Amino acid sequence: MLISTQWLARHVDLEGISPEELASELTLKTAEVEGLERFAEHLDQVVVGHVESRIAHPDADKLAICTVNVGKEEPLQIVCGAPNVDAGQNVAVAQVGTVLPGNFKIKKAKIRGVESRGMICSVRELELGEDHDGIWVLPEGLSAGESVSSALGLVDWVIEIDNKSLTHRPDLWGHRGIAAEVAAIFGRELKPLETSLPATGSGAGVEVSIEDPACTRYMGLCVDNVRVEASPQWLQLLLLAVGQRPLDLLVDISNFVMLDLGQPNHLFDLAELSAGVKVRMAVDGEEITTLDEEVRGLSPQDLLICSGNTPVALAGVMGGGASKVAEGTTSLLLEVASFDATTIRRTATRVGLRTESSARFEKSLDPCLVPKAAAHLVRTLQSIQPEVSLPAPATDVGDWSDPALTVELSGDRVRELLGVDLDDEDIISKLSALGFCIERDGTMMKVAVPSHRATKDITRAEDLVEEVGRLYGYDQIPGKRLIAEVAPPAKDARQLLVRKIQDRLAGGACFSEALCYSFQPDELLERLGVADEPRVRVVNPVAEGESSVRRSVVPSLLGRIELNRRHRDEVRLFEVGKGYLPEHTDERGQPREVHEAGLVLAARRDKSAAYNAGSRSRLQGVIEDLLRALGAYDSAPLTWRVAGEDDSIPGWANPGRSQVLVCGEGEDQRALCFLADLDPGRARPLGLVEELSSDVAAAWISLDVILSLPKASSSYRPLPKFPGAKVDVALALPLDVSCAGAEFELQRSGKGLVASMELFDVYEGTNVASGQRSLAWHLVLEAKDRTLDEGDVQKFLGRVERAAERLGGALRRES
Amino acid sequence: MRERLESLRIDALRRVGEATGVEDLRAVEKDFLGKEGAVAEILGLIPTLAPMERREAGQGANQLKTTLLEAIAAAKAALEEAEVAAQRDAGGFDPTLQAAAAKRGGLHPITQVRRDVESIFTSMGYEILDGPEVELDYYNFQALNIPVDHPSREMQDTFYCDEDHTLVMRTQTSPVQIRAMERMTPPFRVIVPGRVFRNEEQDATHEHTFHQIEGLVVGEGIQVGHLTWTLKRFLNELFGRELEVRLRPGYFPFVEPGFELDVRCPFCETGCRVCSGSTWVEFCGCGLVHPNVLAAGFGEREDVDHEKLTGFAFGFGLDRLVMLRFGIDDIRNLMGGDLRFLEQFPC
């Protein structure tokens, strides 16, 4: 909201208070000031000129040559094209060198052969209005050469206040409300304002019927002998200062009262309301054309002002097109009303029309302000057009009540919360300055809250503590050490787990942590083949097709591969984040939250690489290392198995290359991790073709499952006392024997001697029977009680050989 | 025999002298001292010699063996030393040749700053809490003294997850205040880091998804001064220097009185771009916990008398701190997942 200091000065004496000080004190004590600017600063450069003579231009019909005294020895010769320029006038002159709004610099010029040294300005050229029919004629009695701003007393500062910080203060949506704050802050008097209606005639007033309680008060007042004309300059300048375009006196004065007292109001052509005023809810399918010439469809929740049954205004939001006052009109109906805040807010939101009026009504305006605003409007109008009269008493109807209330406050509560040493007298004086009336009752104070503060804002003692505190100055409250029990704060296992995962992946594994949006675009989900999964959806997304809330972080990471592969041969990304499963919604309506670490690894394809150099194998290594570091292997037996139909393999995964790490057994078996190659059919949709063709693997690890594992016991094993024997074993085995299966047999054959096992080769081809592959390991055999010799190794190999044969393969001896 | 030994000695030492590598020395050792070497041969002849000569031959052979072993050891040491010297001065040294690239990984800058913030608060005895991102309207608004149709809902452009607005993308981390009150026993101090959502147009300074840190302290006798003291200590720690803070009025329905806390610009003395020339930087919204919020959070608890309690709460944005620390000019980079961005913050 914009506040003009000139306007404020109508309500409170600002003598000796600089605009900067004013802005700073308002920020510290009332509401955030976002900007402070001089209004029409360029008028400092524009001077008053006295037109001494005007003669026709010899070579142009529409131009005149003027001699203009600008307070210097020599008058200026200025060529002017305005029809209304004449000798004897005071005018606004922009001299050579002056820069007008729009970076328009005045230069010496020759116009049709005649020299011109400056410009006589119109109102529009000075950005003071729309009028461009002629030059701006200034009042008489000004001295030539003085700047226009000082000659007209036009030194106005505009303070911009953050609307958000006024959300709870309906009383601050007008200059008088701000002026009351200024008066309290600086210890000055708020100037009195006449708020009683002038005498009215005894004619019949307008009939008003309220059919819905959403209109709490309606005052209709007939106003006669009005002329529609331009507003006086003071009014236009005040409106311009706060960014309002002056139109005509009636529109301007309506705006003026709204911006002055914060009470929206409306002036109707009385003839338009000949059938009497009815306030009612709209019916389904009803429409109204608002002043901005838009047709608005209405619902039964929208309140209407009607003439008879014909809508003339969308209550509290905007007048109807027909409600414009036509030129020549002399009889008006002034409407000042109170409406239910929620009704107005909903209508404004629903029809997408947030106006100055609706912004005020939705803050819960004081119904007691209604007659005051009506009186203020009429009296201001009469000060401009004294012949204006009121033929009939006001019609004032509605089921409203005075919101004023009394709140009990103890001085101790103030001191307790603010922690400052204010005695009761200080508290009372601060509250009084802000317009509260206090009656003491022992140690308690009965604080009467005036109606304009009581609609929503002040309802309890703590609200008054705020009033005292801010006027005292929050910045004056000293800091105070917080003294509390010394104990280590509880640590959340989940937070610690997240940290460990992040550190391990970002550290040893050299993955970069990404943070991706919780929303996943539909087109990405379609490209990944996961669009059919159930998802929480926002009903008002930022953009069409971005309403899906993620179930898993993996699709987001997959969506980032192409971008990164353009610049990197290898992409390693992870995110620890949350997903939501609407198919598991609890009784309160909250979807199940899953917490997971997502990983993707994408590298250039390399067909010649070793069996374990592919992305999935490498990612598996990273995952196993991570889980080892987290102690997961010590807490529960974890085994990889081929993912099957029960594992709900996501659309992005190659179903033939999907694996699940499971913990627990039987019914309790749960997937701790899912790992797969990207489905080859997804490469093209993801843009991973040609030079970006990539070997992509992705995985998720469930934090929830890790957290559910039993606490691991120590996994320490004493160091061997006797040296072990190293032996390499190569087995040729049928392709359907898994590596894990073979390793299980090796362990069994070792009878407890196998201390470590490292696969180092996988081979199919020459020297290996078709349908078989060769797997080779480095093994270390160790015994706890003796040094192993060649005989032990040979016995072991013998058992391995028999085991291999049982599996349909053979031990490969060095040839 | 003496001549023979002498000739062997000369021959062997010559070969040691001529050796250019360890292999040559091994060959000398084998030829002269091996099982079938020259010395062994002589020792084999000894039984055939006259008794007088036997002793001389035995001693001579042994002496030859010792001499040879010493010579070989010396030559070996010299060769190794030469090799080491050669390695030291390999020539062609250029330290500016690009190093073999180590793989890079790292934590997101949000995570880095979040951890800094967390460790300051945990050092002050705060517990770190977590809460759901898809949240019930009750926790996000109603329990926080923001009833349905409260005008302040306009301030926060909420993403709603269903038509009847019971489920929202949380607009703030404040709902966890209520969740904390429901299960924790005062006095307590907690912070809640997390992502929040507002339906805003994105540009260089606005995001629809960003990160907040909420703080909540509940106990008896908590006052405004405790709030300023706490945030001042935190900011001093975070920026590593003494910084002034100030409170001014601010409106948030879940606190009363409510404040905005400003901090003296950590980047200038006289005004800069960060503080728009004012030397103050808006840091966070805060205030004393509204009695209605204490009632909503503790109301069901028979073990807690919320009327005796007061508290303070604050909430600030993490993204802006990250942008200030690293000089990031476009907030959209944070959620962009671009390695060219992420790799700029190795840690």
Side-chain angles (χ1 to χ4, degrees):
Chain A
M1 192 177 56
L2 299 178
I3 293 291
S4 133
T5 56
Q6 286 276 7
W7 197 327
L8 275 186
R10 296 167 65 89
H11 297 289
V12 61
D13 181 11
L14 297 179
E15 188 66 37
I17 305 173
S18 72
E20 290 81 8
E21 192 185 354
L22 188 59
S24 147
E25 283 296 296
L26 281 173
T27 290
L28 288 174
K29 301 207 157 84
T30 303
E32 184 172 336
V33 171
E34 287 189 314
L36 176 65
E37 257 180 44
R38 251 303 284 288
F39 166 63
E41 195 164 15
H42 54 274
L43 292 184
D44 290 355
Q45 310 302 318
V46 177
V47 300
V48 175
H50 187 74
V51 183
E52 292 182 337
S53 68
R54 173 191 191 275
I55 56 167
H57 190 292
D59 294 324
D61 291 346
K62 292 190 175 163
L63 297 179
I65 301 167
C66 302
T67 316
V68 184
N69 172 11
V70 290
K72 294 181 184 155
E73 264 179 45
E74 284 287 313
L76 300 179
Q77 173 174 294
I78 298 176
V79 176
C80 179
N84 66 335
V85 66
D86 211 348
Q89 286 171 337
N90 280 333
V91 293
V93 178
Q95 293 168 269
V96 171
T98 298
V99 181
L100 291 183
N103 206 17
F104 173 40
K105 188 172 180 183
I106 308 297
K107 294 177 186 146
K108 195 159 79 176
K110 261 199 174 154
I111 301 173
R112 294 272 176 114
V114 179
E115 190 167 86
S116 181
R117 291 170 169 267
M119 184 172 89
I120 303 177
C121 305
S122 73
V123 166
R124 192 167 81 184
E125 280 153 351
L126 296 175
E127 286 196 340
L128 295 175
E130 295 298 297
D131 189 3
H132 196 52
D133 294 341
I135 48 109
W136 184 21
V137 181
L138 302 178
E140 287 174 23
L142 305 181
S143 52
E146 197 180 354
S147 77
V148 169
S149 50
S150 98
L152 295 181
L154 241 177
V155 182
D156 197 357
W157 288 81
V158 184
I159 298 172
E160 185 180 359
I161 298 185
D162 176 19
N163 286 350
K164 277 186 197 166
S165 64
L166 299 178
T167 307
H168 59 316
R169 295 291 303 269
D171 62 310
L172 295 187
W173 285 75
H175 281 79
R176 190 162 173 88
I178 298 286
E181 290 284 319
V182 173
I185 292 169
F186 290 94
R188 301 196 175 187
E189 288 292 316
L190 188 63
K191 292 178 188 172
L193 180 74
E194 183 55 74
T195 53
S196 63
L197 271 182
T200 61
S202 55
V206 66
E207 279 196 23
V208 179
S209 66
I210 299 177
E211 292 193 347
D212 194 283
C215 175
T216 49
R217 186 173 191 179
Y218 192 105
M219 181 177 263
L221 180 64
C222 299
V223 185
D224 265 357
N225 298 325
V226 177
R227 268 176 294 120
V228 182
E229 60 177 351
S231 299
Q233 198 156 61
W234 67 263
L235 179 51
Q236 292 198 24
L237 289 173
L238 287 185
L239 291 173
L240 281 166
V242 298
Q244 293 281 330
R245 195 162 60 99
L247 287 171
D248 61 47
L249 179 60
L250 300 185
V251 174
D252 293 353
I253 207 157
S254 172
N255 280 333
F256 169 76
V257 169
M258 175 176 69
L259 299 171
D260 203 26
L261 301 189
Q263 170 70 53
N265 57 85
H266 203 95
L267 283 164
F268 291 99
D269 198 326
L270 186 60
E272 295 290 335
L273 287 162
S274 51
V277 175
K278 182 153 89 181
V279 189
R280 64 164 172 87
M281 285 296 177
V283 292
D284 244 335
E286 200 167 1
E287 287 180 343
I288 186 170
T289 306
T290 42
L291 268 174
D292 54 5
E293 292 172 359
E294 293 279 331
V295 179
R296 313 273 175 181
L298 302 173
S299 83
Q301 284 87 48
D302 301 323
L303 192 64
L304 287 174
I305 309 296
C306 302
S307 167
N309 205 38
T310 312
V312 293
L314 191 52
V317 180
M318 194 179 262
S323 69
K324 239 181 237 176
V325 176
E327 233 168 298
T329 299
T330 59
S331 293
L332 305 175
L333 176 75
L334 167 62
E335 167 198 291
V336 189
S338 265
F339 303 112
D340 170 56
T342 301
T343 305
I344 302 304
R345 179 177 154 267
R346 282 188 175 166
T347 294
T349 308
R350 214 182 45 72
V351 301
L353 196 60
R354 292 198 78 228
T355 58
E356 293 271 0
S357 169
S358 74
R360 286 171 172 79
F361 280 119
E362 68 181 36
K363 306 291 182 298
S364 296
L365 287 179
D366 172 17
C368 301
L369 186 57
V370 166
K372 295 176 190 164
H376 187 42
L377 189 143
V378 171
R379 286 182 182 274
T380 309
L381 187 56
Q382 282 179 333
S383 75
I384 298 163
Q385 295 182 348
E387 63 279 16
V388 164
S389 63
L390 307 176
T395 309
D396 182 5
V397 294
D399 188 15
W400 59 278
S401 57
D402 186 341
L405 53 93
T406 304
V407 173
E408 289 210 341
L409 176 72
S410 76
D412 284 343
R413 186 70 176 149
V414 178
R415 290 181 283 274
E416 227 171 73
L417 290 178
L418 296 180
V420 290
D421 193 21
L422 282 168
D423 61 29
D424 287 5
E425 296 303 323
D426 295 330
I427 293 169
I428 289 170
S429 88
K430 296 220 167 350
L431 288 173
S432 309
L434 286 164
F436 298 94
C437 287
I438 295 95
E439 199 185 305
R440 297 180 76 156
D441 181 6
T443 59
M444 294 303 285
M445 306 173 201
K446 288 189 169 165
V447 181
V449 181
S451 62
H452 64 275
R453 295 301 309 276
T455 53
K456 226 162 203 167
D457 183 19
I458 309 268
T459 57
R460 56 192 306 153
E462 289 74 16
D463 300 328
L464 292 169
V465 172
E466 175 168 80
E467 296 297 304
V468 175
R470 67 186 180 89
L471 204 58
Y472 174 78
Y474 291 139
D475 57 331
Q476 301 302 309
I477 299 175
K480 190 171 179 187
R481 277 179 306 155
L482 184 63
I483 295 175
E485 188 180 302
V486 178
K491 295 227 166 36
D492 180 47
R494 187 175 291 273
Q495 310 261 357
L496 295 177
L497 176 63
V498 170
R499 258 184 199 237
K500 282 187 191 164
I501 292 175
Q502 286 170 327
D503 286 341
R504 194 76 181 179
L505 292 178
C510 293
F511 273 60
S512 290
E513 185 187 24
L515 295 179
C516 300
Y517 294 117
S518 298
F519 306 112
Q520 288 171 335
D522 291 345
E523 49 92 20
L524 172 66
L525 299 174
E526 266 157 38
R527 279 186 282 150
L528 290 170
V530 294
D532 294 340
E533 295 172 346
R535 285 196 170 74
V536 173
R537 285 181 177 272
V538 295
V539 295
N540 53 336
V542 230
E544 181 83 24
E546 290 185 27
S547 63
S548 290
V549 178
R550 66 187 183 183
R551 300 172 61 86
S552 161
V553 301
V554 175
S556 308
L557 295 172
L558 288 170
R560 290 286 174 236
I561 294 175
E562 187 217 13
L563 162 79
N564 286 305
R565 275 283 283 115
R566 289 182 184 283
H567 314 285
R568 299 281 186 279
D569 278 350
E570 186 167 307
V571 177
R572 300 179 300 274
L573 289 174
F574 80 98
E575 176 175 5
V576 182
K578 291 174 174 177
Y580 293 88
L581 313 182
E583 69 273 28
H584 302 287
T585 293
D586 68 15
E587 69 281 2
R588 300 182 73 179
Q590 207 147 8
R592 181 187 295 169
E593 180 175 276
V594 291
H595 204 176
E596 67 178 29
L599 299 100
V600 299
L601 173 57
R604 252 213 296 227
R605 285 201 178 280
D606 181 1
K607 294 221 170 79
S608 65
Y611 74 94
N612 60 355
S615 291
R616 186 170 37 80
S617 182
R618 290 174 55 202
L619 198 49
Q620 183 174 346
V622 166
I623 291 166
E624 289 174 1
D625 168 72
L626 172 66
L627 294 175
R628 203 162 288 123
L630 296 174
Y633 281 102
D634 302 323
S635 331
L638 303 179
T639 39
W640 287 108
R641 62 166 170 72
V642 173
E645 273 180 24
D646 293 345
D647 297 306
S648 51
I649 298 172
W652 54 262
N654 179 347
R657 289 284 183 276
S658 292
Q659 57 191 87
V660 182
L661 186 67
V662 291
C663 63
E665 282 171 16
E667 292 282 294
D668 293 338
Q669 199 175 67
R670 280 164 309 154
L672 189 153
C673 170
F674 176 87
L675 164 66
D677 277 341
L678 182 69
D679 187 78
R682 302 295 159 199
R684 182 165 297 278
L686 284 180
L688 302 175
V689 289
E690 284 151 33
E691 72 272 21
L692 296 185
S693 171
S694 307
D695 177 13
V696 181
W700 55 255
I701 301 171
S702 166
L703 274 64
D704 305 302
V705 173
I706 294 178
L707 285 167
S708 73
L709 296 178
K711 268 221 148 87
S713 54
S714 163
S715 59
Y716 168 75
R717 281 194 311 271
L719 299 184
K721 290 201 176 69
F722 299 92
K726 284 186 187 169
V727 55
D728 286 358
V729 172
L731 300 179
L733 292 169
L735 286 172
D736 61 355
V737 175
S738 71
C739 181
E743 287 177 350
F744 178 77
E745 289 299 332
L746 287 174
Q747 276 290 1
R748 216 162 59 164
S749 305
K751 295 198 166 174
L753 297 182
V754 177
S756 75
M757 190 161 18
E758 185 192 346
L759 186 74
F760 70 90
D761 187 46
V762 178
Y763 172 77
E764 281 175 59
T766 322
N767 295 333
V768 176
S770 81
Q772 294 203 338
R773 62 177 173 175
S774 160
L775 301 169
W777 293 265
H778 300 301
L779 301 183
V780 176
L781 305 183
E782 273 170 20
K784 282 194 179 117
D785 52 355
R786 63 202 164 91
T787 303
L788 297 177
D789 59 22
E790 190 59 23
D792 294 304
V793 172
Q794 287 309 322
K795 270 189 223 158
F796 168 68
L797 288 176
R799 288 194 296 269
V800 169
E801 183 158 35
R802 287 191 293 282
E805 283 161 5
R806 275 198 306 279
L807 292 171
L811 174 68
R812 300 181 72 207
R813 303 247 182 204
E814 277 180 59
S815 48
Chain B
M1 184 50 68
R2 186 178 299 167
E3 291 77 33
R4 189 156 172 203
L5 281 168
E6 180 59 15
S7 117
L8 272 178
R9 193 181 71 86
I10 290 168
D11 201 17
L13 289 179
R14 182 179 50 81
R15 282 188 56 194
V16 169
E18 284 170 359
T20 55
V22 182
E23 306 76 38
D24 297 343
L25 292 173
R26 253 184 236 125
V28 177
E29 205 173 331
K30 191 180 170 210
D31 292 350
F32 292 87
L33 303 175
K35 279 183 190 167
E36 287 156 20
V39 173
E41 195 181 319
I42 285 175
L43 290 173
L45 289 177
I46 286 178
T48 64
L49 296 178
M52 276 301 285
E53 284 187 342
R54 281 185 198 171
R55 190 185 147 96
E56 193 187 348
Q59 278 175 347
N62 277 331
Q63 203 174 355
L64 173 58
K65 195 175 171 183
T66 312
T67 309
L68 259 183
L69 280 173
E70 276 169 9
I72 288 170
K76 209 177 195 175
L79 276 175
E80 277 170 4
E81 199 168 306
E83 203 168 310
V84 167
Q87 280 175 11
R88 279 201 190 106
D89 183 18
F93 176 54
D94 179 1
T96 67
L97 276 178
Q98 201 175 12
K103 279 188 183 178
R104 275 197 256 179
L107 296 175
H108 194 283
I110 290 270
T111 302
Q112 295 180 29
V113 177
R114 172 177 160 163
R115 287 184 174 193
D116 290 350
V117 170
E118 287 177 354
S119 64
I120 295 170
F121 278 107
T122 44
S123 76
M124 296 199 287
Y126 284 63
E127 194 170 331
I128 305 172
L129 300 187
D130 186 35
E133 290 159 7
V134 176
E135 182 59 286
L136 293 169
D137 184 279
Y138 171 77
Y139 286 107
N140 194 73
F141 289 123
Q142 293 166 46
L144 291 170
N145 200 31
I146 312 174
V148 174
D149 282 317
H150 192 280
S152 84
R153 290 195 175 206
E154 297 284 331
M155 290 159 54
Q156 304 182 351
D157 305 298
T158 310
F159 286 114
Y160 288 98
C161 298
D162 53 0
E163 290 297 343
D164 42 354
H165 295 191
T166 53
L167 202 60
V168 303
M169 301 302 289
R170 68 172 173 192
T171 60
Q172 47 199 358
T173 40
S174 314
V176 187
Q177 285 190 27
I178 304 295
R179 291 179 176 274
M181 291 177 197
E182 284 177 347
R183 64 176 183 83
M184 297 178 72
T185 302
F188 61 76
R189 311 188 282 288
V190 300
I191 57 163
V192 187
R195 63 168 62 180
V196 299
F197 310 86
R198 306 266 172 104
N199 193 345
E200 285 198 25
E201 292 277 323
Q202 289 169 290
D203 61 31
T205 55
H206 294 91
E207 252 294 6
H208 56 65
T209 301
F210 51 99
H211 303 79
Q212 271 187 349
I213 306 255
E214 186 85 6
L216 174 68
V217 171
V218 176
E220 288 183 24
I222 299 292
Q223 306 179 330
V224 175
H226 292 133
L227 166 67
T228 40
W229 181 84
T230 300
L231 287 171
K232 181 174 160 60
R233 291 308 297 257
F234 163 70
L235 287 163
N236 290 349
E237 208 56 35
L238 188 71
F239 289 102
R241 53 185 277 211
E242 192 76 13
L243 289 168
E244 210 183 332
V245 300
R246 75 170 185 192
L247 288 182
R248 54 185 173 80
Y251 173 63
F252 308 96
F254 37 100
V255 286
E256 186 73 52
F259 317 112
E260 296 271 2
L261 182 121
D262 296 338
V263 58
R264 274 287 182 208
C265 184
F267 304 99
C268 70
E269 301 287 335
T270 52
C272 65
R273 248 185 39 189
V274 172
C275 59
S276 322
S278 72
T279 77
W280 289 104
V281 180
E282 276 187 45
F283 180 68
C284 73
C286 51
L288 297 187
V289 181
H290 198 289
N292 291 350
V293 173
L294 292 170
F298 291 113
E300 302 286 310
R301 298 272 298 266
E302 282 177 9
D303 57 330
V304 178
D305 179 2
H306 65 83
E307 305 244 332
K308 282 192 182 155
L309 296 172
T310 51
F312 68 75
F314 57 85
F316 59 86
L318 200 51
D319 306 67
R320 196 167 64 119
L321 281 182
V322 170
M323 292 173 76
L324 288 176
R325 172 177 300 182
F326 296 109
I328 297 167
D329 60 357
D330 192 329
I331 194 171
R332 290 166 295 192
N333 285 330
L334 293 173
M335 305 292 281
D338 190 328
L339 283 167
R340 290 171 298 171
F341 174 78
L342 298 173
E343 285 178 354
Q344 291 183 41
F345 315 97
C347 186

